[in-house]
Amino acid sequence: LEITTTHLIHRREPPHTNAEVVEELFLATLSRFPTEEEAKMSVNLLQDYRTQGAEDLLWGLINHLEFIANL
């Protein structure tokens, strides 16, 4: 599975919403949907700086203990 934030954000018609980008990133990295709190914080991160916010979120998810330890 190859996932890039650029693909999620720019190469879809119609473009993914911020909430859809967040959901896709969580599913691709942690194999689960974000909690309500995680979704809210993540969507806010993408609100102002969409591409950079998505990249930051992806890095955060990859460095999350749940990803690293495969819990």
mmCIF file of all heavy atoms in Angstrom, residues 4 14-16 24 29 39 52 55 60-61 65 70:
data_model
loop_
_atom_site.group_PDB
_atom_site.id
_atom_site.type_symbol
_atom_site.label_atom_id
_atom_site.label_comp_id
_atom_site.label_asym_id
_atom_site.label_seq_id
_atom_site.Cartn_x
_atom_site.Cartn_y
_atom_site.Cartn_z
ATOM 1 N N THR A 4 0.385 8.622 -0.105
ATOM 2 C CA THR A 4 1.061 9.907 -0.029
ATOM 3 C C THR A 4 0.012 10.962 0.284
ATOM 4 O O THR A 4 -1.133 10.863 -0.151
ATOM 5 C CB THR A 4 1.764 10.273 -1.347
ATOM 6 O OG1 THR A 4 0.784 10.429 -2.370
ATOM 7 C CG2 THR A 4 2.772 9.227 -1.745
ATOM 8 N N PRO A 14 -14.165 14.596 -6.780
ATOM 9 C CA PRO A 14 -13.825 15.827 -6.052
ATOM 10 C C PRO A 14 -12.779 15.534 -4.974
ATOM 11 O O PRO A 14 -12.648 14.388 -4.539
ATOM 12 C CB PRO A 14 -15.156 16.249 -5.430
ATOM 13 C CG PRO A 14 -15.912 14.983 -5.261
ATOM 14 C CD PRO A 14 -15.486 14.091 -6.406
ATOM 15 N N PRO A 15 -12.028 16.555 -4.555
ATOM 16 C CA PRO A 15 -10.977 16.347 -3.546
ATOM 17 C C PRO A 15 -11.554 15.818 -2.228
ATOM 18 O O PRO A 15 -12.704 16.085 -1.881
ATOM 19 C CB PRO A 15 -10.396 17.747 -3.344
ATOM 20 C CG PRO A 15 -10.810 18.523 -4.543
ATOM 21 C CD PRO A 15 -12.112 17.932 -5.004
ATOM 22 N N HIS A 16 -10.734 15.055 -1.522
ATOM 23 C CA HIS A 16 -11.116 14.587 -0.193
ATOM 24 C C HIS A 16 -11.339 15.789 0.723
ATOM 25 O O HIS A 16 -10.634 16.795 0.622
ATOM 26 C CB HIS A 16 -10.000 13.754 0.448
ATOM 27 C CG HIS A 16 -9.901 12.359 -0.054
ATOM 28 N ND1 HIS A 16 -10.835 11.403 0.204
ATOM 29 C CD2 HIS A 16 -8.947 11.752 -0.788
ATOM 30 C CE1 HIS A 16 -10.469 10.269 -0.343
ATOM 31 N NE2 HIS A 16 -9.322 10.451 -0.969
ATOM 32 N N GLU A 24 -8.434 8.476 6.222
ATOM 33 C CA GLU A 24 -7.576 7.650 5.372
ATOM 34 C C GLU A 24 -6.181 7.474 5.984
ATOM 35 O O GLU A 24 -5.621 6.375 5.934
ATOM 36 C CB GLU A 24 -7.446 8.267 3.972
ATOM 37 C CG GLU A 24 -8.699 8.181 3.156
ATOM 38 C CD GLU A 24 -9.040 6.758 2.739
ATOM 39 O OE1 GLU A 24 -8.116 5.940 2.530
ATOM 40 O OE2 GLU A 24 -10.227 6.464 2.616
ATOM 41 N N THR A 29 -2.258 3.887 8.522
ATOM 42 C CA THR A 29 -1.140 3.719 9.451
ATOM 43 C C THR A 29 -1.494 2.869 10.665
ATOM 44 O O THR A 29 -0.742 1.985 11.036
ATOM 45 C CB THR A 29 -0.605 5.080 9.945
ATOM 46 O OG1 THR A 29 -1.670 5.832 10.503
ATOM 47 C CG2 THR A 29 0.058 5.848 8.817
ATOM 48 N N ALA A 39 -9.892 12.803 15.739
ATOM 49 C CA ALA A 39 -10.410 13.345 14.475
ATOM 50 C C ALA A 39 -10.527 14.863 14.550
ATOM 51 O O ALA A 39 -10.117 15.569 13.628
ATOM 52 C CB ALA A 39 -11.755 12.717 14.150
ATOM 53 N N GLN A 52 0.810 20.633 4.492
ATOM 54 C CA GLN A 52 1.768 20.499 5.594
ATOM 55 C C GLN A 52 1.117 19.833 6.801
ATOM 56 O O GLN A 52 1.731 19.006 7.466
ATOM 57 C CB GLN A 52 2.339 21.866 5.995
ATOM 58 C CG GLN A 52 3.447 21.777 7.028
ATOM 59 C CD GLN A 52 4.660 21.018 6.529
ATOM 60 O OE1 GLN A 52 5.157 21.288 5.450
ATOM 61 N NE2 GLN A 52 5.120 20.054 7.294
ATOM 62 N N GLU A 55 0.943 16.112 6.136
ATOM 63 C CA GLU A 55 2.266 15.512 6.282
ATOM 64 C C GLU A 55 2.656 15.399 7.750
ATOM 65 O O GLU A 55 3.190 14.373 8.181
ATOM 66 C CB GLU A 55 3.298 16.332 5.519
ATOM 67 C CG GLU A 55 3.138 16.238 4.017
ATOM 68 C CD GLU A 55 4.045 17.180 3.247
ATOM 69 O OE1 GLU A 55 4.863 17.896 3.875
ATOM 70 O OE2 GLU A 55 3.930 17.198 2.016
ATOM 71 N N GLY A 60 3.292 12.047 12.601
ATOM 72 C CA GLY A 60 2.872 11.781 13.977
ATOM 73 C C GLY A 60 2.306 10.379 14.141
ATOM 74 O O GLY A 60 2.590 9.693 15.132
ATOM 75 N N LEU A 61 1.525 9.935 13.174
ATOM 76 C CA LEU A 61 0.942 8.592 13.240
ATOM 77 C C LEU A 61 2.011 7.515 13.097
ATOM 78 O O LEU A 61 1.972 6.488 13.777
ATOM 79 C CB LEU A 61 -0.133 8.427 12.164
ATOM 80 C CG LEU A 61 -1.396 9.260 12.373
ATOM 81 C CD1 LEU A 61 -2.289 9.199 11.142
ATOM 82 C CD2 LEU A 61 -2.150 8.811 13.612
ATOM 83 N N LEU A 65 3.207 5.216 19.231
ATOM 84 C CA LEU A 65 3.546 3.923 19.848
ATOM 85 C C LEU A 65 2.683 2.807 19.275
ATOM 86 O O LEU A 65 3.143 1.684 19.052
ATOM 87 C CB LEU A 65 3.382 3.997 21.363
ATOM 88 C CG LEU A 65 3.699 2.716 22.131
ATOM 89 C CD1 LEU A 65 5.157 2.302 21.889
ATOM 90 C CD2 LEU A 65 3.430 2.895 23.603
ATOM 91 N N ASN A 70 2.937 -2.100 16.952
ATOM 92 C CA ASN A 70 1.906 -2.969 16.362
ATOM 93 C C ASN A 70 0.945 -3.515 17.417
ATOM 94 O O ASN A 70 0.676 -4.707 17.484
ATOM 95 C CB ASN A 70 2.533 -4.129 15.597
ATOM 96 C CG ASN A 70 2.756 -3.803 14.168
ATOM 97 O OD1 ASN A 70 2.144 -2.896 13.632
ATOM 98 N ND2 ASN A 70 3.653 -4.534 13.549
#
